[in-house]
Amino acid sequence: AAISKKAVSATVSAADKVYNGNTAAIVTITYSDLVGSETLTTASSSATFSDQNAEINKTVTVNSIALGDGDNGGLAANYSVTTGQTTLATISKAPLSVTGMNTTVTYNASAQTSEAATILGTQGSDSFVISGYATATNYSAVAYADDLSVTSAAINNYDITYTNGSLTIIKAPLSVTGMNTTVTYNAS
């Protein structure tokens, strides 16, 4: 006579994570309905969030489970488990820093801009457009400050900090050279 595998129940919990541009989730699985004091482990599993975006209490779904041998005679070969279990977990916003550079240029009678900043903390294939660079034409004893901001389709997934840079326009060198002129006395 064939002995069929005993179905076990699986209860899952998922770890919260910081936004990283993907849906992968890490789950912990506990098993019940085993024979006596036998236990099982999870050899491998996969689970995903409903989408990759930062949000509190998102649905996580278990996609696959491979049972592993446990203690007290618990052999994975004697048991089966189904998938599709769900739980809730949070994807929190990723930190992103935007840092403007301090730029020094020489006055040239045209509008000039700093147009230099770095972005640290970008996740996956997310891209950003930076605006708010300091722009000015004339010399000033005080540097012109950036008012940086970024735009992106993924902006809601980031906690952004800004450090503005500046534009300093220094005076252009100017030389004035007098001419030597020779004239003949004419009584005027």
Tab-separated table of all heavy atoms in Angstrom, residues 148-187:
chain	number	residue	atom	x	y	z
A	148	LEU	N	18.156	73.432	-4.436
A	148	LEU	CA	18.047	72.175	-5.168
A	148	LEU	C	16.748	71.433	-4.896
A	148	LEU	O	16.204	71.466	-3.788
A	148	LEU	CB	19.224	71.259	-4.815
A	148	LEU	CG	20.609	71.784	-5.188
A	148	LEU	CD1	21.677	70.832	-4.675
A	148	LEU	CD2	20.728	71.984	-6.681
A	149	SER	N	16.281	70.754	-5.926
A	149	SER	CA	15.158	69.817	-5.809
A	149	SER	C	15.340	68.765	-6.895
A	149	SER	O	16.101	68.965	-7.848
A	149	SER	CB	13.816	70.540	-5.965
A	149	SER	OG	13.698	71.091	-7.261
A	150	VAL	N	14.677	67.619	-6.715
A	150	VAL	CA	14.753	66.558	-7.716
A	150	VAL	C	13.354	66.120	-8.102
A	150	VAL	O	12.406	66.245	-7.326
A	150	VAL	CB	15.557	65.325	-7.215
A	150	VAL	CG1	17.021	65.667	-7.033
A	150	VAL	CG2	14.966	64.742	-5.955
A	151	THR	N	13.241	65.622	-9.317
A	151	THR	CA	12.001	65.007	-9.770
A	151	THR	C	12.325	63.610	-10.273
A	151	THR	O	13.417	63.346	-10.770
A	151	THR	CB	11.333	65.821	-10.906
A	151	THR	OG1	12.277	65.999	-11.967
A	151	THR	CG2	10.862	67.185	-10.415
A	152	SER	N	11.359	62.710	-10.097
A	152	SER	CA	11.523	61.321	-10.512
A	152	SER	C	10.175	60.631	-10.408
A	152	SER	O	9.346	60.976	-9.558
A	152	SER	CB	12.525	60.605	-9.607
A	152	SER	OG	12.542	59.216	-9.858
A	153	ALA	N	9.964	59.635	-11.244
A	153	ALA	CA	8.751	58.823	-11.141
A	153	ALA	C	8.743	58.045	-9.833
A	153	ALA	O	7.687	57.648	-9.345
A	153	ALA	CB	8.658	57.876	-12.326
A	154	ALA	N	9.902	57.835	-9.231
A	154	ALA	CA	10.021	57.036	-8.002
A	154	ALA	C	10.218	57.894	-6.756
A	154	ALA	O	10.567	57.378	-5.700
A	154	ALA	CB	11.183	56.061	-8.148
A	155	ILE	N	9.963	59.190	-6.840
A	155	ILE	CA	10.304	60.104	-5.740
A	155	ILE	C	9.626	59.737	-4.422
A	155	ILE	O	10.181	59.949	-3.341
A	155	ILE	CB	10.012	61.575	-6.130
A	155	ILE	CG1	10.786	62.516	-5.217
A	155	ILE	CG2	8.524	61.855	-6.126
A	155	ILE	CD1	10.942	63.906	-5.766
A	156	ASN	N	8.429	59.149	-4.459
A	156	ASN	CA	7.718	58.797	-3.233
A	156	ASN	C	8.352	57.639	-2.482
A	156	ASN	O	7.931	57.310	-1.373
A	156	ASN	CB	6.249	58.492	-3.532
A	156	ASN	CG	5.501	59.733	-3.982
A	156	ASN	OD1	5.823	60.843	-3.569
A	156	ASN	ND2	4.527	59.543	-4.839
A	157	ASN	N	9.366	57.007	-3.054
A	157	ASN	CA	10.051	55.892	-2.415
A	157	ASN	C	11.302	56.323	-1.663
A	157	ASN	O	12.032	55.481	-1.136
A	157	ASN	CB	10.434	54.835	-3.460
A	157	ASN	CG	9.211	54.195	-4.075
A	157	ASN	OD1	8.289	53.807	-3.378
A	157	ASN	ND2	9.206	54.102	-5.387
A	158	TYR	N	11.542	57.626	-1.592
A	158	TYR	CA	12.775	58.139	-0.997
A	158	TYR	C	12.504	59.174	0.084
A	158	TYR	O	11.572	59.967	-0.017
A	158	TYR	CB	13.661	58.767	-2.079
A	158	TYR	CG	14.211	57.768	-3.054
A	158	TYR	CD1	13.536	57.457	-4.233
A	158	TYR	CD2	15.408	57.112	-2.793
A	158	TYR	CE1	14.041	56.526	-5.126
A	158	TYR	CE2	15.923	56.183	-3.684
A	158	TYR	CZ	15.242	55.890	-4.847
A	158	TYR	OH	15.739	54.962	-5.734
A	159	ASP	N	13.362	59.159	1.084
A	159	ASP	CA	13.407	60.200	2.097
A	159	ASP	C	14.635	61.044	1.730
A	159	ASP	O	15.770	60.605	1.909
A	159	ASP	CB	13.559	59.574	3.481
A	159	ASP	CG	13.551	60.589	4.596
A	159	ASP	OD1	13.179	61.760	4.344
A	159	ASP	OD2	13.924	60.233	5.725
A	160	ILE	N	14.400	62.242	1.204
A	160	ILE	CA	15.456	63.025	0.564
A	160	ILE	C	15.986	64.122	1.483
A	160	ILE	O	15.215	64.851	2.100
A	160	ILE	CB	14.933	63.653	-0.744
A	160	ILE	CG1	14.376	62.564	-1.665
A	160	ILE	CG2	16.037	64.443	-1.441
A	160	ILE	CD1	13.629	63.075	-2.860
A	161	THR	N	17.314	64.205	1.540
A	161	THR	CA	17.955	65.327	2.235
A	161	THR	C	18.767	66.116	1.208
A	161	THR	O	19.386	65.538	0.316
A	161	THR	CB	18.889	64.851	3.368
A	161	THR	OG1	19.863	63.974	2.834
A	161	THR	CG2	18.121	64.147	4.460
A	162	TYR	N	18.717	67.409	1.354
A	162	TYR	CA	19.405	68.307	0.416
A	162	TYR	C	20.497	69.086	1.140
A	162	TYR	O	20.294	69.571	2.255
A	162	TYR	CB	18.427	69.319	-0.188
A	162	TYR	CG	17.365	68.725	-1.068
A	162	TYR	CD1	16.106	68.422	-0.564
A	162	TYR	CD2	17.627	68.466	-2.409
A	162	TYR	CE1	15.128	67.870	-1.378
A	162	TYR	CE2	16.645	67.909	-3.235
A	162	TYR	CZ	15.402	67.621	-2.710
A	162	TYR	OH	14.438	67.073	-3.517
A	163	THR	N	21.642	69.204	0.496
A	163	THR	CA	22.698	70.109	0.932
A	163	THR	C	23.003	70.995	-0.273
A	163	THR	O	23.547	70.527	-1.275
A	163	THR	CB	23.960	69.329	1.353
A	163	THR	OG1	23.609	68.407	2.384
A	163	THR	CG2	25.033	70.282	1.849
A	164	ASN	N	22.593	72.245	-0.174
A	164	ASN	CA	22.759	73.155	-1.304
A	164	ASN	C	24.214	73.581	-1.482
A	164	ASN	O	24.939	73.741	-0.505
A	164	ASN	CB	21.888	74.401	-1.132
A	164	ASN	CG	20.427	74.089	-1.336
A	164	ASN	OD1	20.068	73.396	-2.265
A	164	ASN	ND2	19.582	74.588	-0.454
A	165	GLY	N	24.600	73.745	-2.715
A	165	GLY	CA	25.905	74.291	-3.046
A	165	GLY	C	25.766	75.774	-3.324
A	165	GLY	O	24.758	76.391	-2.969
A	166	SER	N	26.759	76.343	-3.982
A	166	SER	CA	26.702	77.778	-4.260
A	166	SER	C	27.484	78.117	-5.519
A	166	SER	O	28.277	77.321	-6.015
A	166	SER	CB	27.286	78.565	-3.081
A	166	SER	OG	28.661	78.264	-2.943
A	167	LEU	N	27.223	79.312	-6.011
A	167	LEU	CA	27.934	79.870	-7.159
A	167	LEU	C	28.583	81.173	-6.713
A	167	LEU	O	27.910	82.073	-6.222
A	167	LEU	CB	26.966	80.134	-8.310
A	167	LEU	CG	27.537	80.866	-9.525
A	167	LEU	CD1	28.585	80.000	-10.229
A	167	LEU	CD2	26.419	81.252	-10.493
A	168	THR	N	29.892	81.243	-6.867
A	168	THR	CA	30.625	82.472	-6.552
A	168	THR	C	31.161	83.035	-7.859
A	168	THR	O	31.836	82.322	-8.610
A	168	THR	CB	31.793	82.180	-5.593
A	168	THR	OG1	31.263	81.621	-4.390
A	168	THR	CG2	32.567	83.454	-5.276
A	169	ILE	N	30.817	84.284	-8.125
A	169	ILE	CA	31.340	84.964	-9.319
A	169	ILE	C	32.383	85.973	-8.852
A	169	ILE	O	32.075	86.893	-8.083
A	169	ILE	CB	30.225	85.668	-10.115
A	169	ILE	CG1	29.185	84.635	-10.590
A	169	ILE	CG2	30.814	86.427	-11.304
A	169	ILE	CD1	27.996	85.233	-11.324
A	170	ILE	N	33.602	85.756	-9.289
A	170	ILE	CA	34.674	86.676	-8.898
A	170	ILE	C	34.843	87.746	-9.972
A	170	ILE	O	34.416	87.571	-11.117
A	170	ILE	CB	36.001	85.931	-8.633
A	170	ILE	CG1	36.489	85.201	-9.889
A	170	ILE	CG2	35.843	84.949	-7.475
A	170	ILE	CD1	37.863	84.562	-9.736
A	171	LYS	N	35.466	88.840	-9.586
A	171	LYS	CA	35.671	89.949	-10.522
A	171	LYS	C	36.627	89.530	-11.635
A	171	LYS	O	37.597	88.812	-11.406
A	171	LYS	CB	36.247	91.161	-9.794
A	171	LYS	CG	35.286	91.763	-8.786
A	171	LYS	CD	35.923	92.939	-8.056
A	171	LYS	CE	34.955	93.533	-7.051
A	171	LYS	NZ	35.556	94.667	-6.327
A	172	ALA	N	36.333	90.004	-12.819
A	172	ALA	CA	37.222	89.750	-13.960
A	172	ALA	C	38.390	90.728	-13.889
A	172	ALA	O	38.224	91.882	-13.488
A	172	ALA	CB	36.464	89.929	-15.264
A	173	PRO	N	39.547	90.277	-14.265
A	173	PRO	CA	40.679	91.205	-14.264
A	173	PRO	C	40.503	92.266	-15.363
A	173	PRO	O	39.986	91.967	-16.446
A	173	PRO	CB	41.889	90.320	-14.551
A	173	PRO	CG	41.336	89.100	-15.208
A	173	PRO	CD	39.927	88.940	-14.715
A	174	LEU	N	40.872	93.467	-15.078
A	174	LEU	CA	40.768	94.550	-16.054
A	174	LEU	C	42.046	95.373	-15.983
A	174	LEU	O	42.473	95.779	-14.909
A	174	LEU	CB	39.561	95.446	-15.729
A	174	LEU	CG	39.345	96.656	-16.627
A	174	LEU	CD1	39.006	96.207	-18.062
A	174	LEU	CD2	38.231	97.527	-16.070
A	175	SER	N	42.661	95.583	-17.104
A	175	SER	CA	43.894	96.383	-17.158
A	175	SER	C	43.602	97.679	-17.893
A	175	SER	O	42.961	97.683	-18.935
A	175	SER	CB	44.988	95.633	-17.915
A	175	SER	OG	45.330	94.461	-17.237
A	176	VAL	N	44.067	98.761	-17.331
A	176	VAL	CA	43.959	100.069	-17.987
A	176	VAL	C	45.389	100.555	-18.215
A	176	VAL	O	46.178	100.668	-17.281
A	176	VAL	CB	43.193	101.083	-17.124
A	176	VAL	CG1	43.166	102.446	-17.793
A	176	VAL	CG2	41.793	100.572	-16.821
A	177	THR	N	45.709	100.766	-19.464
A	177	THR	CA	47.064	101.198	-19.818
A	177	THR	C	46.989	102.576	-20.458
A	177	THR	O	46.272	102.782	-21.430
A	177	THR	CB	47.704	100.193	-20.803
A	177	THR	OG1	47.666	98.899	-20.227
A	177	THR	CG2	49.135	100.582	-21.111
A	178	GLY	N	47.707	103.513	-19.865
A	178	GLY	CA	47.743	104.871	-20.426
A	178	GLY	C	48.681	104.909	-21.657
A	178	GLY	O	49.609	104.140	-21.761
A	179	MET	N	48.385	105.824	-22.560
A	179	MET	CA	49.207	105.965	-23.760
A	179	MET	C	50.160	107.140	-23.580
A	179	MET	O	49.795	108.172	-23.031
A	179	MET	CB	48.296	106.235	-24.979
A	179	MET	CG	47.248	105.177	-25.235
A	179	MET	SD	47.900	103.588	-25.690
A	179	MET	CE	48.576	103.947	-27.270
A	180	ASN	N	51.339	106.969	-24.040
A	180	ASN	CA	52.310	108.077	-24.051
A	180	ASN	C	52.060	108.894	-25.325
A	180	ASN	O	52.072	108.351	-26.423
A	180	ASN	CB	53.740	107.551	-24.056
A	180	ASN	CG	54.068	106.861	-22.750
A	180	ASN	OD1	53.536	107.217	-21.712
A	180	ASN	ND2	54.968	105.877	-22.807
A	181	THR	N	51.800	110.167	-25.128
A	181	THR	CA	51.505	111.030	-26.278
A	181	THR	C	52.526	112.177	-26.291
A	181	THR	O	52.787	112.809	-25.284
A	181	THR	CB	50.082	111.598	-26.183
A	181	THR	OG1	49.179	110.498	-26.060
A	181	THR	CG2	49.737	112.423	-27.389
A	182	THR	N	53.046	112.437	-27.444
A	182	THR	CA	54.003	113.547	-27.606
A	182	THR	C	53.343	114.611	-28.473
A	182	THR	O	52.787	114.293	-29.524
A	182	THR	CB	55.285	113.054	-28.287
A	182	THR	OG1	55.832	111.993	-27.521
A	182	THR	CG2	56.304	114.181	-28.407
A	183	VAL	N	53.346	115.852	-27.966
A	183	VAL	CA	52.779	116.960	-28.749
A	183	VAL	C	53.799	118.115	-28.804
A	183	VAL	O	54.667	118.242	-27.940
A	183	VAL	CB	51.460	117.464	-28.137
A	183	VAL	CG1	50.402	116.405	-28.241
A	183	VAL	CG2	51.623	117.916	-26.706
A	184	THR	N	53.633	118.955	-29.735
A	184	THR	CA	54.494	120.117	-29.865
A	184	THR	C	53.777	121.312	-29.264
A	184	THR	O	52.587	121.514	-29.503
A	184	THR	CB	54.790	120.371	-31.366
A	184	THR	OG1	55.357	119.186	-31.895
A	184	THR	CG2	55.729	121.554	-31.552
A	185	TYR	N	54.514	122.113	-28.518
A	185	TYR	CA	53.928	123.283	-27.884
A	185	TYR	C	53.327	124.193	-28.938
A	185	TYR	O	53.948	124.472	-29.949
A	185	TYR	CB	55.022	124.034	-27.097
A	185	TYR	CG	54.518	125.318	-26.508
A	185	TYR	CD1	53.663	125.311	-25.393
A	185	TYR	CD2	54.839	126.553	-27.078
A	185	TYR	CE1	53.209	126.495	-24.864
A	185	TYR	CE2	54.352	127.739	-26.544
A	185	TYR	CZ	53.547	127.690	-25.436
A	185	TYR	OH	53.057	128.867	-24.897
A	186	ASN	N	52.043	124.614	-28.618
A	186	ASN	CA	51.403	125.497	-29.597
A	186	ASN	C	50.710	126.679	-28.916
A	186	ASN	O	49.872	127.324	-29.497
A	186	ASN	CB	50.423	124.705	-30.460
A	186	ASN	CG	49.248	124.134	-29.640
A	186	ASN	OD1	49.122	124.471	-28.478
A	186	ASN	ND2	48.459	123.297	-30.251
A	187	ALA	N	51.029	126.957	-27.668
A	187	ALA	CA	50.524	128.106	-26.895
A	187	ALA	C	49.058	128.027	-26.586
A	187	ALA	O	48.447	128.977	-26.141
A	187	ALA	CB	50.847	129.422	-27.594
